Amino acid sequence: MSFALAIFMGMASLAMAEEAPRRGGTLQSVLWPEPPGIMTGIYTQSSALLPTTKIFESLLTYDFNLNPHPNLAESWEISPDGLKYTFKLRENVRWHDGEAFTADDVVFTYGDYLIEVHPRARAVFERAQVSKLDDHTVVFELKEPFAPLIRSFDLCCLIVPEHLYKGTDFRKNPNNLAPIGTGPFKFDEWKRGEYIHLARNDDYWRDGLPYLDDIYYRFVPDAASRALALETGQMHIATQNDLELFDVDRLSKLPHLDVTTKGWEWGSPIVWIEMNLRKEPFSDKRFRQAMMYALDQNYFRDVIFQGYAKVATGPVHSASPFYEPDVPAYRQDLKKAEALLDEMGLKPDADGKRTTIKLLGLPYGEMWNRSAEYTRQALRKVGIEVILEPSDPAGWATRTRNWDFEMTMYFLTTMGDPALGVSRTFLSDNRKQGVLFTNHAGYANPEVDALFNKAAVSVDEEERKQLYSQVQKILVDDAAVLWLVELVWPTVYNKKLHNVVTGASGPNSSFADAWLAE
């Protein structure tokens, strides 16, 4: 070996050694707003998922292309007719309280718990009969094929301990205050108004993991202070609503920080305004269309979301293979808006006002406050006066799920397949008062129901595309909700933090592999 080659190999070995994961360290993460709770399935708001996904786990994980990979299930088989899914479970897994993880936990979670508490899971897992073959084998049996099932075991459908929840009131179970999962981190403490603390699970089933000792999720109410904490190195990571988007570009230029927009492939989030269609004038399609024409989606994209967004054209995200671009377009046109309102008989008074409505704002920071304020300004130009209703996260969730609103602004994860994250908002049999992220609006269209239901069970990909194409055209023409933008969330993190975004769930992954360099 030559001297030069020896030097090169020595340097390469040193570089590899320097990049080897380091054990220990405390991850400091911004989290805003403070979630109403972190019990999986019950609390599915974005701020709840970040800590929840470190505590609980599902059968599978997904890569950036939404291909499934083993997690609590080490392997699986799908029958040729698509009616039976058999999962072989890992045998060395324990709950944080020391009890063994078994097939009973899986059967209970997907056959009982999630169907009761989780709006999207209900629509998926009611299709299947789940049973155990032995302590470490479960079977999902379907009456008819449902191709999206294999992509349904995501971060919102995490497994809960049967021995602590069976036979209880799931929403009032005392374990909700100190959740017990199988994940790499255990719940340690929640100091209200300050932080959530998760500690390393020393008995985690993946040998040698996690690398981190613990994670603190810090609640910092002021947006400028959150950005400053990243800038000064006090915090290692922030994502979603943690940062005002106008701060992201500035932070990305700092030498110790990195920014990525990967890791939201599983969610495909879309921002919209939902209307209570049980009430006038929202029950009239012309009024909904008029509001769409009054709003400038480009303004939302460029000014409010600082380019971290794309104009939404309908209920299916443009990244989905089922996206249909050829739908009615609502480019801002105030004359069209006014003509529709005139046709309805909503004539302007002497002050130019036609009607007054209320908008329940999303309490996740200034970005959403500006969205609500712009909506008020835009609709005022066509004579629609908007009263903005403030709220906090718990209050917003309570009012929205109980249909106590006229209009409400939010964003929803629509997933890679419309059967998983889109249909739940529009199916008439998913009007579930008291359950969040269902059909709050009260939208009902038998043709839409039939198209969604047929597409969900079809095994022909081209047929599914045609069916979803039809349903998108109908929903957009109906202006069933006011679609604004598709979100592209940035995650800003300190370069000392490694393995931040490794798959489709991004910062909502378990962080078992995450580590901090010195």
Side-chain angles (χ1 to χ4, degrees), residues 30-37 43-50 220-223 226 239-245 271 305 360-372 389-398 400 408-412 436-437 487 489:
V30 178
L31 184 64
W32 190 255
E34 182 172 359
Y43 302 102
T44 55
Q45 295 95 325
S46 58
S47 60
L49 288 178
L50 286 161
V220 184
D222 179 64
R226 296 195 291 270
T239 190
Q240 285 185 298
N241 297 288
D242 296 336
L243 295 173
E244 297 298 336
L245 293 176
V271 178
F305 292 95
L360 178 63
L362 190 62
Y364 282 7
E366 283 304 310
M367 177 173 63
W368 300 102
N369 293 339
R370 289 193 296 273
S371 295
E389 298 183 296
S391 187
D392 58 24
W396 176 89
T398 298
T400 299
T408 182
M409 178 174 287
Y410 68 49
F411 65 93
L412 192 69
L436 198 58
F437 305 131
L487 281 177
W489 289 118

Side-chain angles (χ1 to χ4, degrees), residues 276 279 360 389 398-406:
N276 193 333
K279 300 182 178 182
L360 178 63
E389 298 183 296
T398 298
R399 289 191 57 185
T400 299
R401 69 175 176 236
N402 288 312
W403 308 343
D404 181 21
F405 65 92
E406 292 189 357

Side-chain angles (χ1 to χ4, degrees), residues 111 350 432:
K432 307 285 187 181

Side-chain angles (χ1 to χ4, degrees), residues 423-435:
S423 61
R424 57 175 164 159
T425 299
F426 306 104
L427 286 171
S428 58
D429 62 2
N430 203 37
R431 290 172 289 183
K432 307 285 187 181
Q433 190 169 19
V435 183

Side-chain angles (χ1 to χ4, degrees), residues 275-321:
M275 300 152 287
N276 193 333
L277 305 185
R278 305 166 188 84
K279 300 182 178 182
E280 295 182 351
F282 308 103
S283 56
D284 192 317
K285 178 172 77 172
R286 294 170 295 180
F287 187 73
R288 305 193 298 267
Q289 291 175 330
M291 288 195 289
M292 281 296 300
Y293 282 122
L295 296 170
D296 183 359
Q297 292 170 295
N298 293 332
Y299 186 89
F300 282 98
R301 178 193 63 196
D302 299 334
V303 179
I304 295 176
F305 292 95
Q306 297 288 300
Y308 287 98
K310 181 179 180 180
V311 168
T313 60
V316 176
H317 197 280
S318 61
S320 170

Side-chain angles (χ1 to χ4, degrees), residues 2 15-16 72 85-86 93-94 113 153 169 173 180-181 219 235 247 251 306 359 383 391 412 429 441 464 492:
S2 71
M16 290 179 65
L72 289 181
Y85 293 66
T86 304
V93 180
R94 291 196 171 275
Y113 177 82
F153 302 97
D169 184 330
N173 190 302
I180 291 175
F219 313 134
M235 295 288 127
D247 281 325
L251 293 171
Q306 297 288 300
L359 173 61
S391 187
L412 192 69
D429 62 2
R464 298 188 76 217
V492 182

Side-chain angles (χ1 to χ4, degrees), residues 120 267-268 270 272 314-317 320 412-427 430 437-438 452 468 471-472 475 483:
R120 179 167 57 79
S268 300
I270 299 179
W272 67 58
V316 176
H317 197 280
S320 170
L412 192 69
T413 53
T414 61
M415 314 302 293
D417 192 298
L420 298 179
V422 178
S423 61
R424 57 175 164 159
T425 299
F426 306 104
L427 286 171
N430 203 37
F437 305 131
T438 52
F452 269 129
Y468 285 132
V471 83
Q472 288 171 78
L475 289 172
W483 291 282

